[in-house]
């Protein structure tokens, strides 16, 4: 058999003899290096970095020499109500509301409005009773009776209705403006006041922080209601109104019912930073432990407030322009106060 002729390998310009062999060897080394690098990457990528049980981060590794990624806080979860919850300021009505005890309403057993001494006392000793003190504080353009204490006329910017009300003392007109206990006396009795001593009750009944001159018919409509049953029709005043109730209840250790707390909180949602009223701006401050007032007996022991003023009847009081007469005012007698509400000759 004739042998196949052998041909020398064709020379490739630029390569030395044996170069193809070296090129294949170099290719093998490149493949080995690539596979090795791939193994390293796989091992590093699967190695936990945060301890046992941790999940590998999906964030790409930072390039050497490049700045690291900036950490950003996770977004807050959405508010299911659609409004961000307010964080009340320290000293706000909402913050103080959270400190009030929540209990049920106690019975009204034993309640006596007269036990609070309202409209009889002159706790600052200036010769004027509480009702006229508040009228002097809250009314503008005030004129006085010759006695110097009785408010004869004035103008009230009523917080409950938002209206301006003219006050004229008289039988048919005095009731247009009344002095309201913002925390009603009966409400206080059912939420802690029945445990007080007499001095504390009198202080509460005459505390100017808890008293406002207001629209008379609206005050009658409120009665002894708390925030769960009555709020001022003037919505612009509701935040200030419930803030005053919260401060008064806190100052005297009174509690709120759950319904009352919820009602106040709903109002304060619109004004979470509503400040507490400044007690120092509410007029005179009664003493901490007022003494028993000295009462001169007159006409069977009734306090008249003045020994030299006497009206034989309500007709005489009306003719003199003094009616209605309030307990503690000159000329008042309980015999003229048929319903014993502290107002004679209504």
């Amino acid at each position: 058999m004739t042998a196949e002729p052998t041909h020398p390998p064709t020379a490739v310009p630029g390569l030395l003899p044996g170069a193809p062999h070296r090129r294949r060897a170099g290719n093998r080394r490149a493949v080995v290096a690539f596979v090795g690098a791939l193994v390293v990457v796989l091992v590093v990528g699967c190695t936990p970095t945060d301890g046992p049980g941790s999940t590998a981060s999906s964030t790409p590794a930072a390039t050497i020499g490049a700045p690291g990624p900036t950490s950003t806080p996770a977004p807050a979860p959405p508010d299911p109500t659609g409004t961000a919850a307010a964080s009340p300021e320290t000293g706000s009505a909402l913050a103080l509301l959270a400190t009030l005890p929540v209990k049920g309403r106690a019975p009204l057993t034993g309640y006596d409005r007269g036990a609070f001494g309202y409209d009889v006392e002159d706790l600052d000793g200036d010769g004027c009773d509480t009702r006229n003190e508040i009228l002097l504080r809250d009314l503008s353009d005030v004129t006085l009776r010759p006695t110097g204490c009785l408010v004869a006329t004035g103008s009230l910017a009523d917080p409950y209705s938002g209206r301006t009300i003219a006050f004229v003392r008289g039988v048919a007109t005095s009731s247009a403006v009344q002095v309201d206990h913002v925390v009603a006396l009966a409400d206080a009795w059912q939420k802690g006041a029945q445990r007080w001593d007499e001095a504390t009750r009198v202080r509460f009944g005459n505390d100017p922080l808890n008293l406002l001159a207001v629209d008379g018919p609206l005050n009658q409509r409120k009665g002894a209601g708390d925030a769960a049953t009555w709020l001022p029709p003037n919505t612009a005043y509701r935040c200030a109104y419930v803030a005053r109730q919260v401060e008064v209840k806190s100052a005297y250790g009174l509690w709120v019912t759950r319904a009352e707390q919820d009602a106040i909180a709903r109002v304060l949602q619109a004004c979470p930073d509503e400040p507490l009223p400044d007690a120092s701006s509410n007029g005179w401050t009664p003493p901490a432990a007022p003494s028993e007032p000295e009462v001169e007996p007159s006409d069977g022991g009734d306090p008249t407030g003045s020994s030299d003023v006497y009206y034989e009847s309500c007709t005489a009081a009306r003719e003199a322009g003094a009616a209605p007469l309030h307990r503690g005012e000159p000329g008042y007698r309980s015999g003229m106060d048929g319903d014993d509400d502290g107002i004679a000759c209504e």
Side-chain angles (χ1 to χ4, degrees):
M1 180 170 57
T2 306
E4 292 276 343
T6 58
H7 302 283
T10 304
V12 179
L15 290 180
L16 298 173
H21 175 75
R22 287 194 298 272
R23 183 172 57 187
R24 287 194 295 272
N27 288 342
R28 285 196 298 272
R29 285 194 295 270
V31 170
V32 171
F34 173 78
V35 172
L38 180 60
V39 171
V40 170
V41 170
L42 292 175
V43 171
V44 171
C46 294
T47 302
T49 57
D50 297 323
S54 64
T55 303
S57 170
S58 61
T59 305
T63 304
I64 296 176
T70 302
S71 175
T72 56
D79 181 5
T81 64
T83 56
S87 177
E89 292 183 356
T90 302
S92 69
L94 190 57
L96 190 60
L97 174 64
T99 69
L100 296 182
V102 179
K103 302 181 184 180
R105 185 187 296 272
L108 199 57
T109 306
Y111 170 69
D112 177 11
R113 180 180 175 86
F116 291 88
Y118 169 67
D119 203 25
V120 179
E121 304 297 331
D122 172 20
L123 298 187
D124 64 346
D126 66 351
C128 295
D129 62 74
T130 302
R131 181 172 186 273
N132 282 283
E133 293 271 11
I134 300 303
L135 292 177
L136 283 167
R137 184 196 69 185
D138 292 352
L139 271 58
S140 59
D141 303 322
V142 171
T143 64
L144 300 175
R145 288 281 179 86
T147 58
C149 267
L150 297 180
V151 175
T153 63
S155 179
L156 173 68
D158 175 44
Y160 287 0
S161 66
R163 300 185 302 112
T164 299
I165 302 173
F167 172 76
V168 179
R169 183 179 291 275
V171 176
T173 55
S174 286
S175 60
V177 173
Q178 298 178 11
V179 175
D180 178 38
H181 286 90
V182 179
V183 174
L185 299 180
D187 181 62
W189 184 264
Q190 293 180 290
K191 296 172 183 175
Q194 57 186 273
R195 302 175 303 180
W196 294 346
D197 58 22
E198 182 178 2
T200 304
R201 287 196 299 268
V202 170
R203 177 181 173 84
F204 180 84
N206 294 272
D207 192 334
L209 179 64
N210 193 36
L211 295 170
L212 287 176
V214 299
D215 178 283
L218 284 180
N219 185 42
Q220 294 294 327
R221 198 174 305 165
K222 170 189 173 181
D226 58 21
T229 60
W230 190 90
L231 290 169
N234 179 18
T235 57
Y237 186 70
R238 288 182 178 179
C239 287
Y241 175 77
V242 297
R244 188 175 292 267
Q245 287 189 326
V246 168
E247 181 163 18
V248 169
K249 291 207 165 187
S250 175
Y252 282 88
L254 299 173
W255 65 77
V256 293
T257 63
R258 178 64 65 188
E260 180 184 6
Q261 183 191 54
D262 291 345
I264 294 174
R266 282 194 298 271
V267 172
L268 294 176
Q269 282 178 354
C271 46
D273 296 326
E274 177 70 26
L276 298 165
D278 181 5
S280 65
S281 67
N282 286 279
W284 51 271
T285 302
S291 58
E292 278 290 301
E294 295 183 6
V295 178
E296 291 289 335
S298 173
D299 188 35
D302 291 330
T304 65
S306 175
S307 59
D308 58 354
V309 177
Y310 177 82
Y311 300 108
E312 183 177 352
S313 64
C314 283
T315 300
R318 294 188 183 104
E319 289 175 351
L325 297 167
H326 293 78
R327 185 180 287 118
E329 291 182 351
Y332 172 89
R333 292 184 291 113
S334 61
M336 303 164 71
D337 185 3
D339 56 2
D340 194 28
D341 65 348
I343 305 176
C345 307
E346 300 174 76

